[in-house]
Amino acid sequence: MITFFLALILLVAGFFTYGRLVERVFRIDDRQTPAVAHPDGVDYVPMKTWRIFLIQLLNIAGLGPIYGALSGACWGPEVYLWIVFGTILGGGVHDFLAGMMSERHDGASISEVVGLYMGKAVTFIMRVFSVILLLLIGINFSVGPAALIAVLTPETLNTSFWLAVILIYYLCATFLPIDKIIGKLYPVFGICLIIMAVGIAGSMILKSEYHMPELWESFDVVHPEGLPKWAMMFVTVACGAISGFHATQSPLMARCMTSEREGRKVFYGAMVTEGIIALIWACAGVTFYNGVGPLSEALAQYGQGSVVYTISTTLMGPVGGVLAMIGVIACPITSGDTAFRACRLTIADWFRINQSKVTYRAALSVPLLAVGAFAAVSLPFEILWRYFSWSNQTLAMMVLWTGAVFLLRFGYPPICCFMAALPATFMSAVSLTYILQAPEGFQLSTSIAYPAGILFALACLAVFLFRVYRKGPQEEVETPL
């Protein structure tokens, strides 16, 4: 229990200390935000801070901090370290920079922002990469909920039926103004996600029959499937520490803020909240099942959804069951629809298509959902998810390097740029190491993957240092998109 409380305190303290430091380095000012400068009633819609925060939380969370944390706990309570320091030093910085860089460039999609600072070739790569990633997420977060709802309803209402219903909903959420569905439903589900996490944590603390394992008890833990901690754990626990998907979602809220001073609460704050949720579920997994081995066996035998439902109903009773169902059904759906929405906006920014007109929005939304429907019924879910996991962290790496260059161009001392450059270096090593050793990757031995990942990360850092000390700070890119 000591480890859990220390980790919780560090996460909260990180928001008020390191988060404020990141805000100061960014140089928040009183300039007009895109939502104030030119609201269009569709994507640029001014909203209150609390509403934007809850929408951002649900956008970036989904099932990530629950499923990912439970799987990550199979490496033992050491996963707490990744959740805490990954959130404070990596994820919070990543999400804040992604959202605020977008806000400074008229709410541009992350692919366009990266292109401004990393060059034309990277722009094209990022555009294609972002569209594919967002489609993968939208597809992944439609098949899973459809299958689960089919289990809970009569046989005539099978997975295909519910998949069609979810995709029709996605079309509406992608097409309609952001305040019509997303702005109204998301805050409610966001509150449910928080209540669910608080209830789980409270039950574990108050019920004496449960023992929360300490960090110092876990160093002899071996993953049941023999998967190496480096870099598998850092990809498995993504949304609870750092996730490139967040960079595609932050611009949605950057188009709705009415003041730059909301940025730390909305972006860094939502990431810290997600880290807390991930911490609670990682702890719940090993605590409820009394160890890594039993947790792994339960996940393998019953699946993530059943484990979440069992933990919730046992610790919180019928209320927990309702919240669990909301969590495992509504949360992935609410990430899937914003994935398709962000995909529409990415393509619109790419080809400069005005989205305030109904016909133009429909021209992008309908084909996107058609592609999603085809892929959902044609491609294996497991393969889609595996490639999403790697591409997700690779995107985080690219956004952090962009943030480092962005900070350099602001004219601050180079030391400030390392706020983004150091986590970018770490994620560079994670990204390459993972794809070299992963079953869906090159399946190389760790003796090759480990040094290759480290050398790649050092090479990226060397290129950045060359830019810092040879070229020096440059003027901020001022041309808005």
Side-chain angles (χ1 to χ4, degrees):
M1 189 176 295
I2 295 174
T3 302
F4 174 77
F5 278 112
L6 284 176
L8 184 62
I9 291 169
L10 282 172
L11 282 169
V12 175
F15 170 75
F16 290 103
T17 55
Y18 201 73
R20 192 175 297 278
L21 180 60
V22 173
E23 182 183 54
R24 291 187 63 183
V25 167
F26 191 85
R27 291 181 175 175
I28 295 296
D29 58 35
D30 295 320
R31 71 181 69 191
Q32 277 194 330
T33 63
V36 174
H38 54 81
D40 66 356
V42 179
D43 298 307
Y44 295 87
V45 179
M47 293 187 190
K48 294 182 178 179
T49 306
W50 68 268
R51 189 177 294 274
I52 299 175
F53 166 80
L54 288 170
I55 295 172
Q56 173 71 2
L57 174 62
L58 208 59
N59 280 357
I60 66 175
L63 284 177
I66 301 177
Y67 281 12
L70 286 171
S71 296
C74 293
W75 279 280
E78 292 165 66
V79 73
Y80 298 169
L81 296 175
W82 170 231
I83 291 172
V84 171
F85 294 107
T87 295
I88 295 171
L89 302 177
V93 175
H94 170 275
D95 291 13
F96 179 84
L97 288 176
M100 296 308 296
M101 286 190 297
S102 173
E103 186 271 336
R104 287 282 173 93
H105 292 288
D106 203 36
S109 300
I110 196 61
S111 56
E112 304 304 308
V113 174
V114 171
L116 277 173
Y117 294 92
M118 305 298 277
K120 292 183 178 179
V122 178
T123 304
F124 178 78
I125 294 172
M126 277 295 297
R127 285 167 173 168
V128 175
F129 196 84
S130 297
V131 169
I132 293 175
L133 175 65
L134 289 166
L135 281 174
L136 284 174
I137 294 169
I139 296 164
N140 281 322
F141 287 159
S142 58
V143 176
L148 184 56
I149 298 174
V151 173
L152 302 174
T153 53
E155 291 184 7
T156 52
L157 305 178
N158 57 19
T159 300
S160 297
F161 171 81
W162 287 112
L163 179 61
V165 171
I166 291 172
L167 289 173
I168 291 171
Y169 162 75
Y170 281 178
L171 177 62
C172 297
T174 302
F175 176 79
L176 292 173
I178 195 166
D179 59 335
K180 299 304 180 186
I181 294 179
I182 294 174
K184 288 182 169 61
L185 292 180
Y186 276 39
V188 176
F189 290 130
I191 292 171
C192 289
L193 188 64
I194 293 172
I195 292 174
M196 183 181 180
V198 171
I200 294 293
S203 297
M204 287 190 298
I205 294 168
L206 296 176
K207 293 185 177 182
S208 58
E209 63 265 33
Y210 294 108
H211 167 68
M212 294 185 181
E214 305 293 355
L215 184 62
W216 51 86
E217 300 173 355
S218 69
F219 285 102
D220 59 345
V221 171
V222 177
H223 192 281
E225 297 180 20
L227 296 177
K229 191 173 301 178
W230 176 265
M232 294 292 185
M233 185 181 73
F234 302 97
V235 173
T236 301
V237 186
C239 288
I242 179 172
S243 168
F245 171 61
H246 299 184
T248 67
Q249 300 302 289
S250 294
L252 298 180
M253 295 300 96
R255 302 183 186 214
C256 298
M257 295 193 311
T258 57
S259 169
E260 280 199 348
R261 302 188 186 282
E262 299 173 355
R264 182 169 65 92
K265 297 175 184 176
V266 170
F267 302 120
Y268 201 100
M271 182 62 240
V272 168
T273 304
E274 186 184 36
I276 292 172
I277 293 171
L279 173 68
I280 291 171
W281 277 100
C283 182
V286 290
T287 299
F288 182 83
Y289 287 98
N290 195 30
V292 169
L295 169 62
S296 300
E297 292 173 4
L299 290 172
Q301 184 174 356
Y302 303 111
Q304 300 270 16
S306 294
V307 168
V308 171
Y309 184 79
T310 300
I311 293 175
S312 300
T313 52
T314 304
L315 294 181
M316 295 191 292
V319 174
V322 173
L323 290 173
M325 286 298 97
I326 291 176
V328 299
I329 294 175
C331 286
I333 291 176
T334 54
S335 289
D337 60 10
T338 51
F340 278 112
R341 188 180 189 93
C343 192
R344 168 177 68 81
L345 292 171
T346 298
I347 296 173
D349 287 350
W350 183 351
F351 295 102
R352 303 293 188 267
I353 302 173
N354 183 357
Q355 293 297 280
S356 62
K357 296 183 178 180
V358 174
T359 53
Y360 290 166
R361 292 205 307 281
L364 292 181
S365 301
V366 174
L368 278 177
L369 270 296
V371 171
F374 173 78
V377 299
S378 304
L379 300 176
F381 175 80
E382 293 79 8
I383 298 299
L384 288 172
W385 183 259
R386 286 177 180 175
Y387 283 108
F388 155 68
S389 299
W390 171 75
S391 57
N392 183 45
Q393 299 302 63
T394 302
L395 179 59
M397 172 196 76
M398 298 170 75
V399 171
L400 280 167
W401 280 122
T402 303
V405 175
F406 179 90
L407 293 176
L408 179 63
R409 291 192 178 186
F410 255 87
Y412 257 87
I415 187 87
C416 296
C417 307
F418 286 94
M419 209 169 254
L422 291 182
T425 303
F426 181 83
M427 293 310 298
S428 298
V430 167
S431 181
L432 186 67
T433 301
Y434 179 87
I435 199 63
L436 289 179
Q437 67 182 5
E440 67 273 19
F442 294 95
Q443 302 180 22
L444 299 178
S445 67
T446 56
S447 61
I448 297 175
Y450 285 6
I454 292 172
L455 288 173
F456 175 68
L458 292 175
C460 292
L461 180 60
V463 171
F464 179 73
L465 289 174
F466 176 82
R467 185 166 190 168
V468 170
Y469 292 109
R470 282 296 187 89
K471 296 187 177 182
Q474 302 172 28
E475 292 297 321
E476 177 191 355
V477 177
E478 296 180 352
T479 305
L481 298 178

